[in-house]
Amino acid sequence: MAIASMTDRLLTRVEGLAAGVEYIPVDLRSTRGSRALARWKTLTVKGPAGDPLGTWSYMRDLAHVACDMVHVLRDRRAAKLPTAFVGRPGLPPITPGAP
C-alpha cells in the first residue's frame, strides 16, 4: 500500500516536472533533459512490470527521472540568472548613508 501511495505521488510530481522540462526550447534543452523526457514517456506507456519487484522498480525509475528533471530545471534556472557584481575590490564598503 505504501509503494502505491508513493508511486502515485511520484507520478504527479514527475508530470509537473516534465511540463517544465518540455517548456525549455528543444535547441536549448540539455541531453540529460531530452533523455529524462524520453524515459518518462517510456515509463508512462509501459507502466510497472508484472513481476514481484515490478512496482518497486517502477517507483525507483520514476524517482531517477524526477531527480534528472530537477537537475535540468535547476541548471536552466542558474543559466538564466544574471550574475551580480559583488564586492568593490580595492575600495571601502558602501555605507547605508553614503550618497
Side-chain angles (χ1 to χ4, degrees):
M1 187 66 162
I3 290 178
S5 173
M6 285 189 278
T7 302
D8 218 21
R9 289 177 24 206
L10 270 171
L11 283 168
T12 303
R13 185 59 54 110
V14 176
E15 188 175 356
L17 291 169
V21 174
E22 287 174 344
Y23 185 75
I24 299 171
V26 176
D27 57 328
L28 299 176
R29 193 178 301 154
S30 67
T31 305
R32 186 178 195 176
S34 298
R35 282 193 313 235
L37 284 175
R39 184 71 182 135
W40 163 242
K41 289 177 183 166
T42 301
L43 287 171
T44 56
V45 170
K46 289 177 67 174
D51 60 0
L53 290 178
T55 53
W56 184 87
S57 298
Y58 185 69
M59 184 180 66
R60 182 178 174 274
D61 286 343
L62 285 173
H64 281 282
V65 168
C67 183
D68 285 343
M69 288 183 179
V70 166
H71 283 287
V72 167
L73 293 171
R74 283 184 182 166
D75 290 346
R76 176 73 176 150
R77 187 178 306 135
K80 289 179 72 174
L81 291 177
T83 55
F85 176 75
V86 179
R88 297 175 31 157
L91 299 174
I94 298 175
T95 58

